[in-house]
Amino acid sequence: MKKYHEELLSSIRDLRREMKKISYELYKDGELTLPQLGVVAVLTENGPSKVSDISGQVGLANSTVSGIIDRLEKKDIVKRNRLEEDRRTVVISLTEGSEKYYEEYKSRRDSYMLEKMEKLDEEEAGDLTESVRRLISLLSGVEK
């Protein structure tokens, strides 16, 4: 691996760590834990989903997500439903109004990030956007 690739990888790790700290700080007074918020985010963005699909999205084991769903169900934030066409299949959905948890967090996060990004000039922002999109396409296997 070339030195500049190693530096890029290190920078990505640092960025991820920083984003996690920011998320924690922005939501530390929230009613949900960050993993619970992650499940609510997936359901807000994707709609009713199976536990295995949620697990894949949040990067946690099915058993861990199942425990998170148990706690969210006790708070009346999610509900489990069996599919009519296949009673063995359970889908998780948000209860009415529960998307507010993610929407409030997302609003805080985006405001914070936009405030910080205002320090970039137009060219820097454009270059970063282009680089991040290129990296995403490489990582997803969908090169453009």
Side-chain angles (χ1 to χ4, degrees):
M1 187 182 313
K2 296 179 180 150
K3 183 170 174 45
Y4 56 89
H5 290 130
E6 290 174 5
E7 289 174 8
L8 177 58
L9 190 57
S10 177
S11 294
I12 292 169
R13 279 192 216 104
D14 292 346
L15 176 62
R16 184 178 171 156
R17 190 174 19 258
E18 199 59 36
M19 293 296 293
K20 193 170 188 173
K21 283 187 340 191
I22 290 166
S23 291
Y24 176 77
E25 283 301 312
L26 291 173
Y27 202 72
K28 67 182 177 188
D29 299 328
E31 295 176 50
L32 306 177
T33 65
L34 282 178
Q36 289 172 339
L37 184 62
V39 169
V40 171
V42 168
L43 293 170
T44 299
E45 292 176 353
N46 301 335
S49 304
K50 296 186 290 185
V51 171
S52 58
D53 295 335
I54 297 168
S55 296
Q57 290 286 311
V58 296
L60 297 171
N62 286 356
S63 58
T64 302
V65 170
S66 230
I68 291 169
I69 290 167
D70 288 343
R71 290 183 283 287
L72 290 172
E73 199 171 27
K74 286 179 185 167
K75 293 180 177 190
D76 197 34
I77 294 172
V78 301
K79 59 185 174 185
R80 287 178 164 94
N81 302 297
R82 295 203 178 273
L83 291 180
E84 294 280 326
E85 58 274 9
D86 183 356
R87 303 287 299 151
R88 296 170 297 174
T89 303
V90 176
V91 293
I92 311 304
S93 60
L94 292 172
T95 57
E96 191 172 328
S98 293
E99 57 279 330
K100 72 178 181 187
Y101 294 102
Y102 178 61
E103 296 301 334
E104 288 171 5
Y105 162 75
K106 188 174 149 188
S107 174
R108 268 191 257 171
R109 181 200 61 203
D110 290 354
S111 292
Y112 176 86
M113 294 297 292
L114 287 170
E115 177 186 319
K116 297 299 180 188
M117 287 180 203
E118 285 178 3
K119 295 175 182 169
L120 298 171
D121 65 33
E122 187 176 344
E123 185 177 346
E124 285 176 307
D127 290 348
L128 271 171
T129 300
E130 190 176 310
S131 296
V132 169
R133 284 185 178 151
R134 172 78 170 122
L135 185 57
I136 290 168
S137 73
L138 288 170
L139 294 174
S140 68
V142 183
E143 290 192 50
K144 296 177 182 173

